[in-house]
Amino acid sequence: MKLWDSFLPLMSPHLPGCPIPSMKAYLATTAADFLARSQLWRDNIDAVYVAPNLVEYDLSGDAVIEDVLAVWHDQKSLTRTDIRLIPDADRSKTGEPLRYWVQSDTMIRLHPIPTERVKLNVVAVLKTSRDATGVDDWIYETWADQIV
């Protein structure tokens, strides 16, 4: 991991007199924004085990989830949808999950509601949190100038 201190030699010539804590706070904000907009940081997040008859599932992890790109179980890909596309009468339907939608930043919902325990695999776009202390080495090595 590269700490914000690694970025300071790239920034300080352009910001003489700027306090180091201010530069680090700006880097945290800028890195999160850059990773969200570019969607460069994509990864499998920890498997989610779905209990029968539960509707929403938390995807929280160490990084902040910017977007969910893919969800699948048993080698079957679920289709991304929107709750507005599912008729009210069908929202409580149960069975094997076929669709998902992002409910909030770290929450997804499945449709139909599973009746059996299911292991979900999820690929997500990640970004650093605003209180992060740095970025992974590969992000720094390739994208430090753009973040600065």
Side-chain angles (χ1 to χ4, degrees):
M1 172 171 249
K2 293 288 188 183
L3 301 177
W4 298 136
D5 290 337
S6 301
F7 288 81
L8 295 179
L10 301 171
M11 288 182 73
S12 53
H14 305 288
L15 300 168
C18 184
I20 290 176
S22 295
M23 285 192 273
K24 289 181 180 180
Y26 179 75
L27 283 166
T29 301
T30 304
D33 185 57
F34 174 76
L35 291 168
R37 289 174 187 247
S38 66
Q39 297 194 347
L40 289 169
W41 189 10
R42 298 171 181 211
D43 206 354
N44 294 324
I45 61 173
D46 292 338
V48 177
Y49 292 92
V50 173
N53 302 313
L54 286 179
V55 177
E56 297 180 340
Y57 305 96
D58 189 22
L59 302 176
S60 61
D62 292 338
V64 176
I65 296 172
E66 175 63 22
D67 194 12
V68 175
L69 299 177
V71 177
W72 70 94
H73 74 93
D74 294 334
Q75 308 299 325
K76 298 174 191 166
S77 180
L78 278 63
T79 303
R80 186 172 183 152
T81 190
D82 188 295
I83 192 170
R84 295 170 291 186
L85 300 175
I86 299 173
D88 290 342
D90 289 347
R91 289 185 188 166
S92 60
K93 184 178 175 181
T94 60
E96 180 181 6
L98 302 172
R99 292 176 286 286
Y100 76 94
W101 63 90
V102 178
Q103 182 71 20
S104 66
D105 288 346
T106 61
M107 189 82 61
I108 62 170
R109 289 187 69 168
L110 301 178
H111 185 265
I113 300 167
T115 54
E116 297 180 11
R117 182 179 161 101
V118 174
K119 176 185 170 187
L120 294 179
N121 297 295
V122 179
V123 175
V125 173
L126 304 175
K127 66 181 181 180
T128 56
S129 66
R130 297 211 183 266
D131 61 353
T133 58
V135 294
D136 287 348
D137 288 347
W138 71 270
I139 295 171
Y140 175 82
E141 293 302 330
T142 307
W143 302 104
D145 291 328
Q146 286 76 11
I147 292 170
V148 167

